[in-house]
Amino acid sequence: MFQPQGSAPHLHWLSQRLQARSLLRAAGARPAWLPGDWQGFAGESCWLDLAADDSHHLLQRAGHCQQHGIALLEVCGQWLPQGEQFGFMLLCGGELTATSEARSWLDCATPLAGGWLHCGPPGSARYTLHVINAMRHAWQLALQQLPANGQPCSINWEALMQQQSELADKLYLLSAGYLQRQGIDAAACSASEARHNFALPVAAQSHFAANLAILIVLAMQQRDTLHSMLQQVFATLQQP
């Protein structure tokens, strides 16, 4: 049974799904260990943290939970109202044992049981969601260059690639920063090792977010080579 706390709209949508599965605890006095300004769901021995702040504050809450013998699980998602009916695609970070009560919450909140991704320790879900959002933004930038009526048009490839390059720089800094906070040296990982780790089934990866970050950092370190290739392409396109 889980007790919601907070005022964000998606907490209500999630509560409706939990109530349909008889997993929602009736409103009452909050647990003594739980501060009043947290956002998420309290279980018998776990806290599902749904706040949207930074990793620093998340880790502070994780430390508070640890002091009280409570397991914290970070939960991130794209919070849309349709999720109340169809379920949310969720990312989570933190210790998640095979018998964790949090699994029942995750299975209830997602479209299907197991329809969530465990990304690693606390902070990993936030990082992975940032990467997904960056990829979506890159795709949207590309779509903006296409005509709405489907008619042929001239595309400013150089401007588009400049936008993508600036976004890639931010993605590189985000990934390098994540690895630094995790104490992981991307330079010590070979590209083949990174590809192998990332290609494993998610359940076999101990730290999905780190594998993703290593691949991004290694790929972005080849930007000079890519830039030179693109310059050659642009020169060819500009020839009469």
Side-chain angles (χ1 to χ4, degrees):
M1 301 287 286
F2 298 91
Q3 178 178 338
Q5 177 168 290
S7 57
H10 57 274
L11 295 176
H12 171 73
W13 302 330
L14 288 161
S15 294
Q16 295 299 102
R17 294 186 63 82
L18 292 172
Q19 188 172 34
R21 303 281 186 88
S22 300
L23 292 175
L24 187 69
R25 184 188 306 158
R30 69 175 185 272
W33 58 267
L34 180 58
D37 59 345
W38 287 17
Q39 302 276 328
F41 287 82
E44 297 298 330
S45 60
C46 70
W47 168 252
L48 293 114
D49 194 281
L50 276 72
D53 52 11
D54 56 36
S55 295
H56 174 71
H57 290 93
L58 172 68
L59 294 179
Q60 287 183 334
R61 292 192 293 275
H64 177 86
C65 287
Q66 187 176 24
Q67 291 175 2
H68 291 81
I70 302 295
L72 178 142
L73 190 72
E74 168 198 22
V75 181
C76 296
Q78 304 289 359
W79 306 117
L80 299 174
Q82 294 86 347
E84 179 181 339
Q85 178 181 358
F86 299 107
F88 300 90
M89 301 301 292
L90 299 180
L91 307 169
C92 61
E95 185 176 354
L96 191 64
T97 63
T99 58
S100 170
E101 66 173 324
R103 288 180 177 270
S104 61
W105 187 97
L106 291 167
D107 287 342
C108 176
T110 50
L112 295 171
W116 40 269
L117 175 63
H118 183 241
C119 302
S124 61
R126 277 166 168 70
Y127 163 75
T128 304
L129 182 62
H130 288 324
V131 172
I132 292 173
N133 287 338
M135 296 297 187
R136 291 178 58 197
H137 183 56
W139 179 245
Q140 290 168 352
L141 288 175
L143 289 179
Q144 290 174 4
Q145 294 288 334
L146 300 178
N149 57 9
Q151 297 298 316
C153 70
S154 175
I155 297 177
N156 188 340
W157 290 106
E158 190 165 4
L160 176 59
M161 294 309 300
Q162 180 62 32
Q163 290 176 328
Q164 299 288 346
S165 178
E166 292 173 357
L167 186 59
D169 288 339
K170 295 178 181 179
L171 194 56
Y172 172 80
L173 293 175
L174 174 71
S175 301
Y178 178 77
L179 293 174
Q180 183 179 27
R181 290 191 298 273
Q182 297 296 322
I184 299 173
D185 182 7
C189 304
S190 67
S192 59
E193 179 184 7
R195 286 195 300 268
H196 171 74
N197 291 338
F198 194 66
L200 292 173
V202 173
Q205 297 186 38
S206 60
H207 196 160
F208 173 89
N211 293 333
L212 175 61
I214 289 170
L215 272 182
I216 290 174
V217 168
L218 292 177
M220 295 305 176
Q221 288 174 347
Q222 306 301 318
R223 283 176 297 175
D224 290 342
T225 301
L226 178 60
H227 180 72
S228 177
M229 294 172 60
L230 290 174
Q231 290 293 82
Q232 294 178 21
V233 171
F234 292 145
T236 302
L237 292 175
Q238 293 171 358
Q239 292 178 357

